[in-house]
Amino acid sequence: MNRSAHPPVPSAAPSLAATPTVTSVSPTSGSTAGGTAVTVTGTGFTGATAVRFGATHAASFVVNSDTQITATSPVGSGTVQVTVTTPSGTSNQFVTYTYVTAPVPVLTSVSPTSGPVSGGTVVTLSGSGFSGATAVRFGGVSAAFTVNSGSQITATAPPGSGTVAVTVTTPGGTSNGVSFTYVSASVPVLTSVSPTSGPAAGGTTVTLTGTGLASTTAVRFGATPATSFTVVSDTHLTAVAPPGTGTVQITVTTPGGTSNGLSYTYSGAPTLSAISPNQGRTSGGNTVTLTGTNLTGATSVTFGGTPATSVTVLSATQITAVVPAATAGPVDVTVTTPGGISTLPKSYFYVSPPVLANVIPTSGPLSGGNTATLTGTNLIEATAVSFGATPATSFTVVSDTQITAVAPAGAAGLSSVTVTTVGGTSNPVSYTYLAAPSITTLVPNQGSTSGGGTATLTGSNFAQTTTVLIGGAPTGFTVVSDTHLVADIPAGAAGPVDVTVTTPGGTSTPAVYTRVASPNI
């Protein structure tokens, strides 16, 4: 039986991976000494077996992904092609890497030149060729460091002993060594700072006290060196604050290490916006409230250059001050704080005290109610008029030299009238409260209608008699004493009439005088 023969079906050809491609390298240059970490970017890097810089294999490489490799450049020179080799082949794109000659770093100084054996001293290294630094060593011990620029590095000294050489290593090589000495000196300790604040512009001289300060090599306000400093003794030094802001820690560095920090606050300049009250007596002594900003730590308040008797800081926006004595007139008010000085020009007015010359009338009734005119000087800002301890019923300021006041009720006798203004209380002038006059007898109590005679009145409070009325008409009179008065009898119609006596104390109860017609003959 014949069978049909079928040719075998060929198997599929194996799939070949694409040849790798290199599109870029970063950085594109490095030291001839090699050791630069270079990122190679491209495609088809999976399974890479070699990375070459020219004909030289990379010192090492790591395949990060199918599109990225990190390779360490070998020793070399000139400009070379970077290639990647995989089982699928070697890239052939002309992506280059240039070897450059890096300068050997040069170290010229370290500051400070010593520190404690425990390490921790922040040391500033100065020199050249520091860019790309890979190591800083104190002797053979590596230190933490920061490259500030090509000419400066800040490093933290590790623990150590004796005198060691500080070196800097870069791709260009290792620098010369500069000595740093480990000492067993104690770490300085700060206990106080005075003042504790100053202006943002700096310039304040600050006194620091503590221990172990004799060999101070640096004073810092935060990270900023003091403008200058002077060691007075092992327990005292002075430093000039640099410009700054906010609250910072002051530290002192010696070969024994860096001290604890003490707070120092940079204060904004003060501003004064208001003063209340804004006037007062020339003798001072009154308390005023100053309002503004940045008033914390105020050290003085002056009125026209004269210091306030006392100053109390309530807050950053408010101060109270007791006003000193001064002559009449406006003055500047100035506040001084660690942050500076602020002045309100002509903002407080010293007012002369009032002076009274006289009061008219000089007396009045016990019941008060009469209007008295006060004359004097500096009366324009009167706030009170008093008769003894009793305020006037009312008063009106007519001018700087005159006030009218309604007398209150008072007890019989002398009373002192005073005027009070913001400038103080005046001298007193005398005012007498008088009882109303009283008539007890009238002799004779009758007479002819033709008048012409006199009558004697006895009673009390006649001394300041101003008027005697008989039948409502004024008549002449003579005051003999406070209890006796002689009055002229005017002509009038027959019949009884009232006789009254009036003084500043009031009018008496009437007595009766009777006119009798002459008999007809």
Side-chain angles (χ1 to χ4, degrees), residues 74-437:
V75 175
S77 63
T79 298
V80 297
Q81 181 182 5
V82 178
T83 61
V84 174
T85 298
T86 71
S88 297
T90 299
S91 65
N92 62 3
Q93 292 74 34
F94 194 69
V95 175
T96 61
Y97 178 86
T98 300
Y99 284 98
V100 293
T101 302
V104 176
V106 176
L107 186 56
T108 57
S109 67
V110 297
S111 178
T113 59
S114 60
V117 294
S118 58
T121 303
V122 176
V123 180
T124 299
L125 287 65
S126 299
S128 61
F130 293 165
S131 296
T134 56
V136 173
R137 293 181 177 87
F138 284 65
V141 182
S142 295
F145 68 93
T146 300
V147 178
N148 303 319
S149 68
S151 60
Q152 187 181 84
I153 290 175
T154 301
T156 302
S161 61
T163 297
V164 298
V166 179
T167 59
V168 175
T169 298
T170 71
T174 297
S175 73
N176 57 299
V178 173
S179 294
F180 179 87
T181 302
Y182 286 98
V183 295
S184 298
S186 59
V187 176
V189 175
L190 290 180
T191 56
S192 69
V193 55
S194 179
T196 58
S197 58
T204 302
T205 298
V206 176
T207 299
L208 300 170
T209 59
T211 58
L213 308 181
S215 55
T216 296
T217 56
V219 177
R220 290 183 175 85
F221 287 67
T224 307
T227 303
S228 64
F229 67 90
T230 301
V231 176
V232 180
S233 68
D234 193 54
T235 58
H236 287 81
L237 65 81
T238 61
V240 177
T245 58
T247 298
V248 298
Q249 296 295 304
I250 301 179
T251 57
V252 170
T253 299
T254 70
T258 298
S259 72
N260 57 301
L262 293 179
S263 294
Y264 180 85
T265 301
Y266 285 98
S267 304
T271 59
L272 283 179
S273 56
I275 178 171
S276 178
N278 62 0
Q279 56 184 354
R281 53 188 178 268
T282 53
S283 60
N286 54 307
T287 299
V288 298
T289 298
L290 305 173
T291 303
T293 60
N294 298 323
L295 304 181
T296 301
T299 55
S300 74
V301 174
T302 59
F303 290 74
T306 303
T309 303
S310 67
V311 175
T312 302
V313 178
L314 303 179
S315 68
T317 61
Q318 198 171 80
I319 292 175
T320 59
V322 177
V323 180
T327 57
V331 296
D332 296 345
V333 179
T334 299
V335 61
T336 300
T337 73
I341 295 173
S342 178
T343 297
L344 274 180
K346 309 298 182 186
S347 56
Y348 185 83
F349 201 97
Y350 281 97
V351 179
S352 296
V355 177
L356 283 181
N358 57 46
V359 56
I360 298 174
T362 58
S363 56
L366 304 181
S367 60
N370 56 309
T371 298
T373 298
L374 307 174
T375 56
T377 56
N378 305 320
L379 307 181
I380 195 69
E381 295 190 40
T383 56
V385 175
S386 299
F387 286 69
T390 306
T393 302
S394 65
F395 68 91
T396 301
V397 177
V398 178
S399 68
D400 193 49
T401 60
Q402 188 176 93
I403 292 175
T404 59
V406 177
L414 283 175
S415 178
S416 296
V417 181
T418 57
V419 172
T420 299
T421 71
V422 293
T425 298
S426 73
N427 59 294
V429 292
S430 295
Y431 178 86
T432 304
Y433 280 98
L434 299 174

Side-chain angles (χ1 to χ4, degrees), residues 17-22 41-50 63 65-69 84-91:
T19 302
T21 63
V22 174
T41 304
T43 62
F45 291 166
T46 301
T49 57
V63 178
S65 68
D66 193 56
T67 60
Q68 188 181 85
I69 291 175
V84 174
T85 298
T86 71
S88 297
T90 299
S91 65

